Amino acid sequence: MTTNVLILCTHNSARSVLSEGMLNHWAKKLGKDVRGFSAGSTPSGRINPFALDALRNAGVDVSGFRSKSWDEFTGSESEPLRVVITVCDSAAAEQCPVFFGGNGQPVKVHWGYPDPSNAPEADKANAFELTRQAVGYRMLQLLQLPLETLNDADLKKALVEISLS
């Protein structure tokens, strides 16, 4: 059974998209039955071009990416979610979305990243690449977990441990 992971940020234009791209990229390469999705509480309606460039440069297929609302994942007909990860930067007092879900309660964890969109223009491409690398590393760690056999409490503990790395 596929493990569905939803990655949330406010605008679904950068960090959550980088996370979705890297999770799906690594899951496919490693033959893991995991599917990543991204969404926002107030989606911007566009993906930051620097995010798409960082993913493309890493060999990630970016076709089909779009900025979307988390409402797509709360209905009774939406994919059942096992994990919800927020990636906004609470250290910068950024408002993180709170996900209530619609079909069961997924395991929720926060993996904060500074917003690469706030980097000076001359450093923006590098900021997006560094963020892509950081989320990619955590997604690899997530994919090493025995997702099929972990109960929710143990999965939550493992995901929190990843957030500390």
Side-chain angles (χ1 to χ4, degrees):
M1 181 173 167
T2 302
T3 299
N4 292 310
V5 178
L6 177 62
I7 302 116
L8 294 176
C9 206
T10 306
H11 302 296
N12 189 221
S13 64
R15 291 162 289 182
S16 54
V17 172
L18 291 168
S19 300
E20 173 189 6
M22 292 310 299
L23 179 57
N24 289 330
H25 177 75
W26 288 126
K28 182 177 178 182
K29 282 203 174 286
L30 297 171
K32 301 286 185 169
D33 193 12
V34 175
R35 177 94 195 272
F37 302 92
S38 68
S41 54
T42 55
S44 68
R46 69 173 193 86
I47 305 293
N48 189 302
F50 285 97
L52 294 174
D53 287 345
L55 289 169
R56 262 191 227 101
N57 292 339
V60 176
D61 178 11
V62 297
S63 62
F65 277 86
R66 63 186 176 85
S67 178
K68 55 201 163 296
S69 172
W70 64 8
D71 292 340
E72 293 184 26
F73 301 93
T74 60
S76 60
E77 295 181 22
S78 61
E79 296 282 343
L81 300 170
R82 178 82 197 276
V83 176
V84 172
I85 302 169
T86 53
V87 293
C88 45
D89 186 10
S90 57
E94 183 179 10
Q95 185 68 31
C96 285
V98 177
F99 184 79
F100 295 104
N103 52 24
Q105 284 302 309
V107 174
K108 299 170 191 158
V109 68
H110 177 71
W111 293 353
Y113 302 96
D115 188 351
S117 302
N118 292 334
E121 201 60 36
D123 299 329
K124 209 170 285 262
N126 188 50
F128 273 84
E129 175 56 19
L130 291 173
T131 302
R132 185 204 61 77
Q133 289 176 19
V135 300
Y137 177 68
R138 283 186 177 161
M139 294 307 165
L140 278 171
Q141 291 178 292
L142 181 153
L143 290 168
Q144 297 308 309
L145 298 174
L147 296 169
E148 313 78 29
T149 60
L150 284 175
N151 63 40
D152 286 352
D154 289 339
L155 177 57
K156 171 82 174 188
K157 181 180 176 189
L159 293 171
V160 168
E161 287 175 13
I162 290 171
S163 75
L164 302 174
S165 63

